[in-house]
Amino acid sequence: MNTKQFLLSAWSWNPLVIAAAVAALIVYWIFCRDRQRMGYLVAALAVFLLALVSPINALADGYLFSAHMLQHIFLLLLVPALVLLALPREFTLGRKVLAHPLVGWLAGVGSMWLWHAPALCNAAVSSRPVYATQTISLLLLGGVFWWQVIAPREEDRLSPPAAVVYLFTACTACSALGIILTFSPVTVCPIYMHVQDSLGLLNTIRNDWGMTPEKDQQIGGLLMWVPMCAIYLFAILAQLARWFSHSRTEEHAR
């Protein structure tokens, strides 16, 4: 199978994934109907489908660790953030334990470290139930993480200075894991060293794309190190803008 054939044929229209996306749209339309914010939900579902039905999913399913990492970035950081931005302004969780900043930080950072323990990483590739558990947990834990920063109600968010610290330390922790992945031997998720070539794609990956297991893990580490921190940096800049806006509002109120 060459690259063009793979890109055209490797879409896996998983009925559960499609049903989840359709159900999310229906629930949102019934209970929210916020047309101004619905675009965020559509974007979230587009990224969700890109992660789970596109060729990215086929590559992550035992071929490339870097594709697996890209899936994690989509599911942990992008989809939950966009879903929260789509929620109505009055939506709140109140003072539940899941809304505590420490819980949120541990959810976002801990999920990345936990699912890259070799045993769990291998299990998520080789076992459908574990893979499903991983996918659901990344979405939920990502939501808990982002709640502290972009909860619909201003009162449920961290203050801008606290949010900057929250995001910067999360970026630092994930960068540390990214550096470890980039420079360590191929032992983080060793299942990707022994590919079960069910699609007949391995020759294309190794020869046409020049992707060895070592290079693959390095790219995976760089994805965690650079793009993930770029997302955190964008969020930090948004918090600084929010801080500046609050300061100006307070000055005008005096």
Side-chain angles (χ1 to χ4, degrees):
M1 180 183 291
N2 60 36
T3 301
K4 182 179 178 180
Q5 291 171 332
F6 167 70
L7 293 176
L8 291 175
S9 65
W11 294 78
S12 55
W13 301 105
N14 186 319
L16 292 177
V17 173
I18 303 300
V22 172
L25 275 175
I26 293 172
V27 170
Y28 187 87
W29 182 251
I30 292 173
F31 293 102
C32 300
R33 293 195 181 186
D34 190 335
R35 293 183 180 180
Q36 292 183 335
R37 303 172 74 84
M38 191 172 182
Y40 288 115
L41 181 66
V42 172
L45 294 178
V47 176
F48 175 73
L49 293 173
L50 181 64
L52 297 178
V53 305
S54 78
I56 292 172
N57 183 63
L59 290 172
D61 190 18
Y63 280 98
L64 290 179
F65 175 76
S66 50
H68 155 96
M69 184 62 70
L70 188 59
Q71 265 191 333
H72 280 213
I73 294 172
F74 286 169
L75 296 173
L76 181 70
L77 293 185
L78 295 182
V79 175
L82 290 167
V83 169
L84 287 178
L85 290 171
L87 293 175
R89 294 285 188 183
E90 64 273 12
F91 185 87
T92 182
L93 292 176
R95 295 185 176 277
K96 296 181 181 180
V97 65
L98 291 180
H100 193 282
L102 180 59
V103 174
W105 194 93
L106 290 174
V109 174
S111 58
M112 271 295 185
W113 282 83
L114 176 67
W115 282 112
H116 288 101
L120 284 178
C121 189
N122 282 346
V125 176
S126 59
S127 167
R128 292 294 94 186
V130 176
Y131 173 72
T133 301
Q134 179 192 68
T135 299
I136 294 168
S137 71
L138 289 173
L139 291 168
L140 293 177
L141 294 173
V144 175
F145 173 80
W146 281 116
W147 181 267
Q148 318 303 324
V149 180
I150 53 176
R153 287 203 322 160
E154 181 78 19
E155 296 83 356
D156 292 331
R157 303 177 194 171
L158 291 170
S159 67
V164 169
V165 173
Y166 179 88
L167 291 164
F168 178 77
T169 53
C171 174
T172 302
C174 286
S175 292
L177 179 57
I179 292 169
I180 291 171
L181 293 175
T182 302
F183 295 107
S184 67
V186 187
T187 56
V188 174
C189 205
I191 196 169
Y192 286 102
M193 295 179 64
H194 310 288
V195 176
Q196 302 296 318
D197 192 16
S198 58
L199 298 178
L201 186 64
L202 188 59
N203 184 63
T204 299
I205 290 174
R206 294 286 187 262
N207 298 327
D208 295 353
W209 300 358
M211 191 72 75
T212 64
E214 293 77 15
K215 187 175 181 179
D216 178 35
Q217 182 170 302
Q218 288 172 355
I219 292 173
L222 287 172
L223 283 172
M224 176 174 281
W225 189 1
V226 182
M228 279 190 73
C229 269
I231 294 171
Y232 290 129
L233 177 60
F234 180 81
I236 288 171
L237 292 175
Q239 293 305 309
L240 292 174
R242 178 176 160 231
W243 192 356
F244 179 72
S245 177
H246 282 191
S247 299
R248 294 194 63 179
T249 302
E250 290 174 0
E251 287 179 4
H252 287 305
R254 291 173 184 171

